[in-house]
């Protein structure tokens, strides 16, 4: 909702350590994607080609056809860099492509994690949130960022019945945040530059299976699955991750 806690990096870490199957990260940030630049990937296939194809079909195989593989093997659907193009593609994807995303998420061998960037009631990615099994709101535990979370908690509860708050980096303690906001914290991810480096396309760093970030992301994935499975929603694994709205850039 505000700030730059590193949602894209956290989503990649979670997918890299997902409990089972072959997850997919969909880069659906209306402000534009980062993965093509981070990993020097082609723009196609990606969200734009997926949105175009979703006009004609909505099978479970559609999402896989528009994935690329990161160097470590993780599947991603990259978003366009330009915000205008990203918003246009999301306009189509959220009206024609939701069925394909949910069809892919129903597969027992897959999970779909969607990075929706900064979220507010006017975001073109909001239909993805409403159609997901869970929403994770990611924020740094600092007064300025938490104040924006507090103002939007009521709205978040209308977007999904299974919201979860994830803290990233140093600041107020988990207990302090829970006491002041009145909501449970699902996890606290560490500031881990070496663990984040690999997920940011840098050649040196610790892989997710050996980093503090990766270990915590693995626990978060297991917690999230239990969170979804014990909720009143379906058990399809379509998950969105977001950060409070406004602000520029991303800090891993």
């Amino acid at each position: 909702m505000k700030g730059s806690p590193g949602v894209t990096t956290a989503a990649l870490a979670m997918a890299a350590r997902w409990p089972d199957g072959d997850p997919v990260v969909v880069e659906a940030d209306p402000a534009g994607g980062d993965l093509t630049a981070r990993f020097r990937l082609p723009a196609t296939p990606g969200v734009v080609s997926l949105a175009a194809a979703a006009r004609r079909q909505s099978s479970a195989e559609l999402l896989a056809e528009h994935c690329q593989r990161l160097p470590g093997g993780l599947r991603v659907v990259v978003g366009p860099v330009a915000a205008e193009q990203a918003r246009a593609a999301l306009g189509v994807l959220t009206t024609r492509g939701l069925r394909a995303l949910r069809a892919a998420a129903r597969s027992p061998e897959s999970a779909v994690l969607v990075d929706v960037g900064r979220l507010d009631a006017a975001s073109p990615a909001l239909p993805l949130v409403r159609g997901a099994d869970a929403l994770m709101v990611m924020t740094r535990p600092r007064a300025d960022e938490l104040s924006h979370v507090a103002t939007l908690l009521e709205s978040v509860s209308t977007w999904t019945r299974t919201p979860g708050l994830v803290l990233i980096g140093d600041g107020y303690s988990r207990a302090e945040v829970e006491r002041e906001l009145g909501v449970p914290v699902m996890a606290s991810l560490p500031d881990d530059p070496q663990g984040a480096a690999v997920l940011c396309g840098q050649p040196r760093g610790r892989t997710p299976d050996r980093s503090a970030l990766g270990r915590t992301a693995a626990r978060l994935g297991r917690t999230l699955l239990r969170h979804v499975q014990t909720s009143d929603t379906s058990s399809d694994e379509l998950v969105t991750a977001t950060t409070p709205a406004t602000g520029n850039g991303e800090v891993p």
Side-chain angles (χ1 to χ4, degrees):
M1 296 170 191
K2 186 175 175 60
S4 302
V7 167
T8 302
T9 303
L12 293 178
M14 286 185 62
R17 297 300 311 276
W18 196 251
D20 52 47
D22 188 15
V24 181
V25 175
V26 179
E27 196 176 26
D29 188 340
D34 298 321
L35 294 181
T36 56
R38 281 191 189 189
F39 296 97
R40 298 174 177 82
L41 299 174
T44 301
V47 169
V48 173
S49 63
L50 174 62
R55 296 177 184 269
R56 302 183 298 275
Q57 58 174 307
S58 58
S59 66
E61 294 75 24
L62 183 62
L63 187 64
E65 294 171 4
H66 297 272
C67 290
Q68 299 187 51
R69 293 274 184 180
L70 297 187
L74 183 64
R75 292 193 299 168
V76 296
V77 181
V78 298
V81 174
E84 183 177 355
Q85 191 178 19
R87 295 179 73 88
L90 285 174
V92 176
L93 189 63
T94 54
T95 55
R96 303 292 183 88
L98 276 176
R99 190 175 299 175
L101 291 178
R102 293 208 62 85
R106 290 189 189 101
S107 169
E109 300 178 353
S110 184
V112 181
L113 282 74
V114 185
D115 169 15
V116 296
R118 294 174 182 84
L119 189 65
D120 58 29
S123 172
L126 190 57
L128 293 172
V129 174
R130 295 187 183 278
D133 294 303
L135 168 69
M136 291 181 298
V137 177
M138 297 182 172
T139 183
R140 291 188 179 275
R142 301 169 182 169
D144 55 345
E145 297 192 24
L146 289 170
S147 65
H148 290 273
V149 175
T151 61
L152 282 178
L153 280 177
E154 185 175 348
S155 295
V156 168
S157 66
T158 67
W159 298 337
T160 176
R161 287 183 290 175
T162 51
L165 184 61
V166 177
L167 306 179
I168 299 180
D170 298 327
Y172 288 105
S173 70
R174 184 170 181 164
E176 288 174 312
V177 173
E178 290 183 334
R179 183 177 64 249
E180 293 301 319
L181 296 185
V183 295
V185 173
M186 185 176 288
S188 296
L189 298 182
D191 260 326
D192 178 13
Q194 287 191 319
V198 171
L199 301 170
C200 291
Q202 300 173 19
R204 296 183 180 274
R206 293 194 180 101
T207 56
D209 60 329
R210 301 181 62 186
S211 69
L213 174 59
R215 290 191 294 272
T216 311
R219 291 195 294 270
L220 173 55
R222 294 191 294 269
T223 300
L224 180 62
L225 280 178
R226 291 194 298 270
H227 185 61
V228 171
Q229 290 164 356
T230 57
S231 73
D232 292 332
T233 60
S234 68
S235 60
D236 305 337
E237 295 166 22
L238 173 61
V239 177
T240 52
T242 185
T243 182
T246 75
N248 295 300
E250 178 189 10
V251 180

